[in-house]
Amino acid sequence: MIAGGCLAVTAAATGTGLVLVVALLCFLAWRFERRWARPARALRVCLPQILDGTMSPDELNRVVARGGLAGIVPNIQRLARDK
């Protein structure tokens, strides 16, 4: 009887652990999307428009306001103005 109880507790803990791992993976995927993927897609769309002159380099502050790529926006704006 005790062995069966231990198996039940182990199975329940494993199920809970699996749920926590899946939740952590979902959170990390969401964070990656928000911090890196979404700003990269926005830059990919905006850079040709800036180079063509249809979009002002200053608008990058609005498009890529946060995220991992926000640090390179001033450099991109400077390059676009110097061209």
Side-chain angles (χ1 to χ4, degrees), residues 20-83:
L20 290 176
V21 168
V22 169
L24 177 64
L25 290 175
C26 288
F27 171 74
L28 291 175
W30 171 79
R31 186 171 176 242
F32 176 82
E33 170 68 24
R34 193 168 158 236
R35 184 166 177 83
W36 295 104
R38 195 179 304 166
R41 279 194 302 274
L43 271 178
R44 193 177 310 127
V45 169
C46 293
L47 285 178
Q49 295 175 3
I50 289 172
L51 293 175
D52 292 341
T54 58
M55 181 178 182
S56 169
D58 295 326
E59 289 184 50
L60 279 179
N61 289 331
R62 180 184 52 82
V63 174
V64 189
R66 299 184 323 185
L69 298 176
I72 66 168
V73 168
N75 295 330
I76 293 171
Q77 289 172 331
R78 192 172 331 131
L79 287 171
R81 288 186 192 110
D82 290 345
K83 74 165 187 113

Side-chain angles (χ1 to χ4, degrees), residues 2-27:
I2 294 176
C6 289
L7 288 176
V9 169
T10 303
T14 303
T16 303
L18 182 62
V19 169
L20 290 176
V21 168
V22 169
L24 177 64
L25 290 175
C26 288
F27 171 74

